[in-house]
């Protein structure tokens, strides 16, 4: 039994999600191999070879992998699939783009967003916005799994294991890279941030989000938002935390002017320490908060930043 983890990387560095995914693969009790499909990706492959518990790294290198087009990576995974009982990828935009294609072409059911491995064929996954946990058993010959990073610790580092080049598949031809628009930010990316300061509809406007910046600067925090704040156009879409946004579990999550709807909680309730600032003492966010401040955010946030 062997598991293949599809590495998420930028050709130089591995994304942290890959480390969590390796832990899930190890919990399946299988020998774990990591596939690095990329272009000039020796550095990422070298990093993968130093993840504790990994037995082997497979590198598929070619220009067709430069932009991470899902069609090409899925074809590469399919070429390697016959040797594996489990194929795993992080439940990020990257992994969620690739694995459904792999599952469909292998004619198996994808097991999505697992948070625990009960047995090699049995997994836990949240349903109903995290209000219930389903235990699912798969009878498919190969388990195709996306892994919710917050459910598994990041694998540590270990001695380097062999890196083997595999024959890269020909480009799929079904898609073509056109352009990439990157949101430039000096702040940590939300899913990797150790501290997050999030604002909700209570912020009142996009301009008012500026008052969160000194607080986020002091804490070196990433910045997030509720869907109401995103839908109102206060902040960009990629800031959204929640069921239909990003799932985060930082060490500290500060929710400012966020009521705590279940769809928001689904994305952040696994944070280690939750601080809520809200003028409504009945706001549901206080039900999950470790520390709550009842009051006007426009008074409290500057005071908090000042005190820090
Ligand atoms: C299918 C579906 C998926 C969804 N997915 C998501 C998701 O991924 N993420 C998400 O966040 N939501 C999601 N939602 C929306 C969710 O139901 C809520 O509507 C949303 O989270 C509310 O955002 P909010 O807390 O910012 O706004 P509100 O609920 O309007 O809360 C604003 C809060 O700010 C407080 N406030 C106002 N002014 C001040 C002030 N001056 N000082 C202090 N506090 C103040 C108020 O007391 C209130 O509690 C989803 C909904 C559906 C139906």
């Amino acid at each position: 039994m062997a598991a293949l983890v599809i590495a998420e990387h930028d050709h130089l560095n591995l994304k942290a999600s890959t480390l969590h995914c390796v832990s899930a693969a190890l919990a399946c009790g299988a020998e774990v191999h990591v596939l690095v499909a990329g272009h000039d990706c020796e550095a990422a492959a070298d990093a993968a070879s130093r993840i504790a518990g990994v037995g082997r790294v497979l590198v598929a290198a070619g220009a067709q992998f430069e932009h991470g087009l899902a069609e090409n990576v899925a074809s590469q995974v399919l070429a390697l699939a016959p040797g594996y009982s489990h194929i795993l990828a992080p439940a990020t935009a990257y992994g969620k783009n690739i694995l459904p294609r792999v599952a469909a072409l292998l004619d198996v059911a994808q097991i999505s967003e697992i948070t625990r491995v009960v047995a090699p064929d049995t997994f836990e996954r949240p349903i109903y916005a995290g209000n219930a946990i389903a235990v699912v058993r798969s009878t498919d010959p190969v388990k195709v799994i996306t892994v919710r990073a917050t459910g598994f610790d990041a694998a540590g580092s270990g001695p380097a294991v062999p890196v083997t080049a595999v024959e890269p598949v020909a480009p799929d031809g079904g898609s073509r890279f056109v352009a990439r628009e990157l949101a430039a930010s000096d702040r940590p990316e939300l899913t990797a941030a150790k501290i997050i300061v999030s604002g909700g509809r209570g912020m009142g406007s996009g301009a008012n989000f500026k008052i969160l910046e000194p607080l986020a600067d002091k804490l070196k925090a990433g910045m997030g938002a509720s869907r109401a704040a995103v839908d109102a156009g206060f902040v960009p879409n990629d800031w959204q935390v929640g069921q239909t946004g990003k799932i985060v579990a930082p060490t500290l999550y500060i929710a400012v002017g966020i009521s705590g709807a279940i769809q928001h909680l689904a994305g952040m309730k696994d944070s280690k320490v939750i601080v809520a600032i809200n003028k409504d003492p009945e706001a549901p966010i206080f039900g999950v908060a470790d520390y709550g401040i009842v009051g006007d955010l426009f008074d409290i946030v500057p005071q908090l930043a000042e005190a820090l």
Side-chain angles (χ1 to χ4, degrees), residues 199-204 225-229 231 240-246 256-265 267 277-281 283-285 293 295-298 300:
R201 198 190 329 248
M203 299 303 302
S226 71
R227 176 157 154 185
D231 284 353
Q240 186 179 319
V241 171
Q243 181 189 346
T244 44
K246 292 189 173 140
V256 184
I258 292 177
S259 60
I262 55 165
Q263 296 90 352
H264 188 79
L265 302 186
I277 301 170
N278 198 303
K279 67 180 181 188
D280 174 8
I285 191 78
I293 308 177
D296 191 320
L297 68 91
F298 296 100
I300 292 165

Side-chain angles (χ1 to χ4, degrees), residues 216-295:
D217 288 345
K218 290 245 162 70
L219 295 168
K220 298 190 173 38
M223 286 183 72
S226 71
R227 176 157 154 185
V230 169
D231 284 353
F234 296 173
V235 289
N237 199 280
D238 60 347
W239 287 33
Q240 186 179 319
V241 171
Q243 181 189 346
T244 44
K246 292 189 173 140
I247 310 285
V248 299
T251 314
L252 173 62
Y253 187 90
I254 305 182
V256 184
I258 292 177
S259 60
I262 55 165
Q263 296 90 352
H264 188 79
L265 302 186
M268 46 61 77
K269 67 176 165 26
D270 292 331
S271 305
K272 292 229 163 36
V273 175
I274 298 172
V275 174
I277 301 170
N278 198 303
K279 67 180 181 188
D280 174 8
E282 303 296 327
I285 191 78
F286 290 125
V288 297
D290 299 282
Y291 300 94
I293 308 177
V294 178

Side-chain angles (χ1 to χ4, degrees), residues 28 45 58-59 61 67 105 111 121 133-134 151 190 208 219 230 239-240 273 276 303:
C28 294
L58 308 177
V59 182
H67 302 293
L105 292 166
I111 307 156
D121 64 349
I133 304 294
L190 264 187
N208 287 346
L219 295 168
V230 169
W239 287 33
Q240 186 179 319
V273 175
Q303 285 181 44

Side-chain angles (χ1 to χ4, degrees), residues 22-249:
V22 166
S23 294
L26 288 167
C28 294
E31 175 172 348
V32 175
H33 298 171
V34 175
L35 169 66
V36 178
H39 186 47
D40 292 335
C41 54
E42 293 81 6
D46 183 57
S49 77
R50 293 169 199 282
I51 305 174
V54 169
R56 195 170 151 203
V57 174
L58 308 177
V59 182
Q64 64 272 43
F65 302 120
E66 185 175 0
H67 302 293
L69 291 181
E71 291 78 2
N72 293 343
V73 180
S75 297
Q76 186 68 56
V77 175
L78 280 171
L80 298 168
Y84 293 97
S85 57
H86 295 71
I87 298 173
L88 304 94
T92 55
Y94 180 75
K96 291 198 277 192
N97 202 3
I98 296 166
L99 273 213
R101 296 167 203 277
V102 172
L105 292 166
L106 290 174
D107 197 20
V108 299
Q110 176 174 288
I111 307 156
S112 302
E113 307 232 3
I114 67 161
T115 49
R116 196 165 87 86
V117 177
V118 180
D121 64 349
T122 310
F123 310 91
E124 284 186 2
R125 55 181 301 267
I127 56 171
Y128 303 131
N131 283 305
I133 304 294
V135 180
V136 292
R137 176 169 297 140
S138 166
T139 54
D140 283 325
V142 50
K143 321 296 181 222
V144 174
I145 300 167
T146 61
V147 176
R148 192 175 275 195
T150 54
F152 298 88
D153 291 335
S157 43
V161 297
V163 176
T164 313
V166 296
E167 186 67 31
V169 294
D172 171 271
S175 64
R176 173 172 68 84
F177 176 77
V178 177
R180 166 171 292 152
E181 281 175 32
L182 282 178
S185 170
D186 294 338
R187 298 193 187 281
E189 202 275 318
L190 264 187
T191 52
K194 299 222 170 1
I195 300 178
I196 294 174
V197 176
S198 270
R201 198 190 329 248
M203 299 303 302
S205 71
N208 287 346
F209 264 74
K210 286 253 170 266
I211 75 154
L212 299 182
E213 286 178 3
L215 182 60
D217 288 345
K218 290 245 162 70
L219 295 168
K220 298 190 173 38
M223 286 183 72
S226 71
R227 176 157 154 185
V230 169
D231 284 353
F234 296 173
V235 289
N237 199 280
D238 60 347
W239 287 33
Q240 186 179 319
V241 171
Q243 181 189 346
T244 44
K246 292 189 173 140
I247 310 285
V248 299

